[in-house]
Structures are given as structure tokens and as C-alpha cells.
Amino acid sequence: MRRRRPTPLLPALAATALLLTACGSEHAGTGSTGADAAGEQSVVQVDDPGKDGVRITSLTLPDPSASPSLSPSPSRDYSVSADSLGSGSGSGSDSGSGSDPGVVAHYEVTNKGAESMTYSVVFTFMSADGGAMSNQTATVRDVGPGKTVRGTIRAGVLPPTTPRITQAKVLEVTKVPASEAPAAPGTCPASGIRVSADKGDAAMGLRVVGLRLDNCGTRDYTVDGYPLLELLDDARKPVTGVRILKGSAEITTGAGPDKQPRPVTLKPGESATAALVWRNTTEFGTPVNVPYVQVRAKAGATPVTVTPNLDLGTTGKLGVRPWEKGEEG
């Protein structure tokens, strides 16, 4: 493939970028659309300080003279997988129209700590003026101490009117000890119990995050009452000054009455749900944000750390609803 000169498409990165030519040699897993072999793309080397050990090293961008229907596949040279590629929000989450332009961020995750960590990273893809065009999330598991793991993530499907993407940055990083990370989709921990949190729901200041407990093992599992929680700050140290309430009546009456806790026995393949409920009202005092919540299904259970990013405002309280039997999962 012939080499191309740098294009004026990237004024915001011109000072730090070196344009090279690259041809996709492998589809990038989730979100790959199968590019026309004739499509051309450029790799922009990025001098990015990154955030919390995660940085973008380069961007793969389609040739502006190529057809917009072409979606080149990036090459990749790593063995680790990233969960939920292309599952972010924003323009890239619109799968009903548009196409995948083949924009790919190449990143690396370096664990500078002393234990293996699992990272959840939000990347934002931007136009030349800095406007966010797509947010995408990657989960990179079991990065050992002192190790560096490399990966790629696509900007995803974009509406046809989306301005051309020329930049990307690391927007948010959360990380938990690998031993406490929620299990990867389709896997079952040694405990036989899988705990996870959903993305939550917000309406007029009321926040609700669902917790899910799946019995993926081979024996019945019984919980009785409420999940046990510990709220953790950015350094994963305990947060003080927040009351954890049994039930949500003190938070709101608009989400239905609280149900009384009762024993719930899950057979293999069955699940239970609970919920965290709060308001992000901010009045006098310092707002409290809780990025991490350590969850135990019951006393003595293995802890799982989820990352719901609770914006508790100055309310000083969090309501917890009891486990209820759910649909099979």
C-alpha cells in the first residue's frame, strides 16, 4: 500500500502527531464491520500523558478521501481481551443508522501497584474542535503488578452527520483488585455466585442502581435480607458520614413501597435482585461521591467491588432494598 502524506484533517494534534500508513490485518472483535481491502487509513501517534496508568498511544483514522462506507479493521498485537467493546454511550451507541467509520484508539494500561487489578476505562472520541462524538468503555482484566497491557477500542457506529473524529482521550478510569472484580460475562467464580451492578437510572434527582445476584454454581444458595455494603472512595478507603438505610422509604416514596426482607433460596440458574436508592441533592456542606461499593451477598460471602459512582450530594444517606427473587439468568 502506498504511503500518504499527513493530512490537514488533524490540526489539534499536529504538534504531537506523526502520520503513518497502516493496513488492517485483523478484525478488532466486537464492532468490526469487515472493511473493504482497498480502504486506506492513517495511524496518528499520540503523545498522551493519560490517566491513572491508562493512555492512548495512537489513533487509526480512515483516509478522508476514501468512501465513508469503508470501515478498515485495525491491526492488533496483544493477547488480552477487553469486555464490552463498543458498548458505550453517545453518538457511537446509535446502532439504528449510520456506519462504523473505522476510527480506532490504541491504548495501553500499566499497573504501577503491587497487586493484580481489573480496569474499566471510558474513552471519548472527539472532533477537531473538542466536541465529544462517542464514548466507549473497555474492561481490561487481571493486569499484573508492573505489567503493561495493550488493546484497541473502536469509536463505533456513528450517524452520517457526525463530524469527523480526529482526537480521543481517556475520560474515566476505575480499577479494583482482580480478586474482587465482577466476573466476566459468561464465567462463574469459584464461589458459584456472581454479583454485578447495572448502569443505573436517574430521574429528577432520584438515582437507582440495581444489584444482581446469580447462582451460576451447582448448589442452592440462600440469602436473607439485605446485601452488605461498604462505601469506598477513590483510594478504595472507607467513606464516612453516610448512613446506609434498610429500605428506601426515607429516600423516596415514588418508587413503590419497600418490601419486607425474607429468605430467598436460589437454585442453580436462578437470580435475585436488590437496589441502591439515593438523591443527589446538594445543599450545605461538601458533596460526597462514592466511586466504589464493596458488596457481600450475605455475611461471610466473598466481596465483590462494583463501580456505580454514587453522587450522593450532601444528603448523607443511601437506601438499600432487600434481595428479591428475580428471573432466571
Side-chain angles (χ1 to χ4, degrees):
M1 179 175 293
R2 61 191 179 86
R3 295 184 177 271
R4 301 186 60 84
R5 291 185 174 276
T7 168
L9 172 65
L10 303 165
L13 296 178
T16 58
L18 173 64
L19 297 186
L20 304 173
T21 300
C23 291
S25 60
E26 179 182 354
H27 295 301
T30 305
S32 178
T33 59
D36 186 325
E40 296 186 8
Q41 58 193 43
S42 296
V43 174
V44 181
Q45 303 298 326
V46 179
D47 183 11
D48 174 25
K51 179 179 293 187
D52 204 8
V54 183
R55 71 184 189 97
I56 296 173
T57 58
S58 64
L59 283 174
T60 297
L61 301 172
D63 190 310
S65 64
S67 167
S69 64
L70 297 180
S71 179
S73 299
S75 60
R76 62 181 183 181
D77 57 358
Y78 62 96
S79 58
V80 70
S81 62
D83 299 337
S84 301
L85 300 185
S87 62
S89 60
S91 300
S93 64
D94 179 8
S95 59
S97 61
S99 60
D100 182 341
V103 177
V104 181
H106 303 247
Y107 63 87
E108 64 182 26
V109 178
T110 300
N111 181 0
K112 299 177 182 179
E115 61 181 322
S116 293
M117 304 295 288
T118 289
Y119 292 73
S120 179
V121 186
V122 180
F123 298 89
T124 184
F125 293 82
M126 303 172 292
S127 59
D129 64 2
M133 301 296 107
S134 173
N135 288 345
Q136 303 292 345
T137 301
T139 299
V140 184
R141 297 181 177 275
D142 301 320
V143 183
K147 302 297 184 181
T148 295
V149 170
R150 296 175 178 82
T152 63
I153 189 165
R154 304 179 75 92
V157 175
L158 303 175
T161 56
T162 302
R164 186 177 296 277
I165 291 173
T166 65
Q167 309 175 62
K169 70 177 182 180
V170 177
L171 185 63
E172 179 181 301
V173 178
T174 53
K175 59 184 181 181
V176 301
S179 60
E180 295 184 12
T187 67
C188 186
S191 64
I193 298 299
R194 186 169 52 232
V195 176
S196 59
D198 64 23
K199 294 182 179 297
D201 189 18
M204 298 182 66
L206 180 65
R207 307 284 200 261
V208 179
V209 165
L211 299 178
R212 183 180 177 97
L213 174 64
D214 295 309
N215 183 353
C216 55
T218 58
R219 298 179 180 178
D220 290 358
Y221 190 82
T222 299
V223 289
D224 186 358
Y226 301 87
L228 304 179
L229 309 178
E230 184 168 14
L231 309 184
L232 306 175
D233 62 16
D234 285 320
R236 297 192 307 283
K237 302 297 184 182
V239 173
T240 60
V242 176
R243 289 185 298 144
I244 298 178
L245 309 173
K246 292 184 176 180
S248 59
E250 193 173 329
I251 308 293
T252 180
T253 58
D258 288 329
K259 294 186 177 181
Q260 292 299 313
R262 61 183 180 83
V264 175
T265 297
L266 303 177
K267 296 183 180 300
E270 293 184 331
S271 65
T273 59
L276 311 180
V277 184
W278 75 99
R279 290 191 181 277
N280 72 330
T281 306
T282 301
E283 295 178 347
F284 298 105
T286 302
V288 175
N289 293 305
V290 178
Y292 302 96
V293 178
Q294 190 181 74
V295 181
R296 285 179 171 83
K298 62 181 180 180
T302 302
V304 175
T305 299
V306 297
T307 56
N309 289 305
L310 310 180
D311 54 342
L312 300 178
T314 56
T315 62
K317 54 190 178 183
L318 172 69
V320 184
R321 289 180 168 172
W323 291 117
E324 298 178 49
K325 199 160 189 178
E327 298 177 357
E328 292 188 1

